[in-house]
Amino acid sequence: MVMLRCKYCGAPFEAKDVEANTPYITCRSCGTTQQRIDAKAYLDQVMDQVRSWVSSAMPGGFSMSQAENVDSIARHNIYVTNVRPRISAEITEYKFAANTLMTNPLFVMPFTTDNTAKPVHTSASAFEFDAKIKGLSPLAVDSNDRKELNTAEDLVKSYALMINNVKLLQEDKPGRYVLMSNNFSQASEMLSKSNEYAPMSKRFSALAHACNGCEKLLNGDPMGSISYLEKGVSGLKDVKDNLFSFPSLAIMYQGVERELSQVSAVADLVRSSSSNGGDPVKTLGALAKISSIQYPNVSNWTILRTKDRNSELFQHMSEALGARSGSGTMLIASGDGDYLFPFWDVDLRYSFVTGALWSKKSVEVAEDILIPGDFTIDSACLTNPASGVTDIFALRPETSILAGLRGSETSISGGEGIGAISETARPGNPGARKIIVPLSTKKEAEHLTENYLVQRTQSNSKLRLSKPYVKNLIYVPCKVSGSSVIIDGFGKLLPERIKRTDINKLIVL
Ligand SMILES: [Zn+2]
């Protein structure tokens, strides 16, 4: 039987598809449908290239068919003198490229894309090289040579399948998890034959489960998805924990770690939104909304373009859902309102010099500032950080000018009221209150505070600031009127951002 190859990605078609004998054939690796005659033409083209490459690897005047007829010692000699030197350099190159690709996460959450991984080969060239190795295998008579060649073939083929998966990470198209799962399963099975690649094989098997889970989820079966997602989580955890005993694959650590955090986030999300009779489809909608938000493009905020920030946002969302279902808690401040607004609680310490002449002294002050969790979508907060925080330095206590002369100043900020709000935050459940999902990460809150301090120290030379410490995320009860958010208790410290907030642009659970 003639095997066919996909003219788009180079993958060989599976026997059952070739036998079906329909005029059109769909690739199970990249998902493209093509005419059977095109797949046949592509196969012929590849085989021509392989044949001419193989004959160029032979000693002068020898053809493959001749080589197959000579005795095994002569074949072994051809392999050792002519073929191996030629092919081993290329195998090394492919091994290196495959290992490099494995440093990237090979999974994305539903509705998201990831284009960080940049394979140096196309899948077509990798599949073609795989065919070349196969073409040479009759010459490898020694069992060690044969084993070496088979292992290389499995790795190159797995690498080709992963190149196809990387392409699928970049495009949120329907059915991609089926294709990815298929590629992962195939690669896992091939690599399971060698001890050397055992962790890679296990990683792919875990990712195949995770992809099956996502596919079920997207098809409206969240309950059915959980066991697959959990298998993915435990498999990746196992790979991560045992990777240290495989130094040659330790390079995968970061990729596996990021896959684990993403698969866990999806699993948590599904578990917590289903457990309380919640609506996982709605949650998925929120998930989609989070990942499609366009953040402002401001020069010193490239941090908003980092890829793994989404997994932290999903984590916050999943914690909120967990608190609602009763399987966890969230920090809630006291106050009135049927909505809960997220704030980053930041511990800020500074010192300043007060008094004049002989009464000069340094005073240490600790303050809390609160940062609205949605500040990242507002370009005005990014360019003018004071509008994205409870701007304690804008309110210098009125008595301070005179007191400053006497050296009795105790603070040049006015944040006491804010500390009182954050101190009321206790672990609790939202009950029926609606939860506004934070759209910033802890690191971003820290970055905003640092920018704020730079902004304020430029206008107040007496200030000496230490590095701010972002403590945690707290939720402050608020009301919604029209599209505006109303929060009591902040007084004059209410961040400008809150006044600009449009509830319709936020994600509410
Ligand atoms: Zn294909």
Side-chain angles (χ1 to χ4, degrees), residues 6 9 27 30:
C6 170
C9 76
C27 174
C30 74

Side-chain angles (χ1 to χ4, degrees), residues 354-429:
T354 182
L357 303 174
W358 60 89
S359 65
K360 224 174 205 176
K361 62 177 181 181
S362 177
V363 180
E364 305 273 335
V365 187
E367 293 270 21
D368 274 273
I369 61 170
L370 290 179
I371 299 177
D374 67 340
F375 78 90
T376 44
I377 59 169
D378 184 350
S379 66
C381 292
L382 308 183
T383 50
N384 172 21
S387 76
V389 303
T390 50
D391 184 8
I392 52 175
F393 293 113
L395 289 184
R396 189 177 165 135
E398 281 160 27
T399 53
S400 67
I401 296 166
L402 194 65
L405 292 174
R406 288 199 299 266
S408 62
E409 239 176 348
T410 55
S411 165
I412 55 169
S413 57
E416 290 85 354
I418 295 305
I421 294 175
S422 59
E423 270 161 31
T424 65
R426 297 275 177 280
N429 301 110

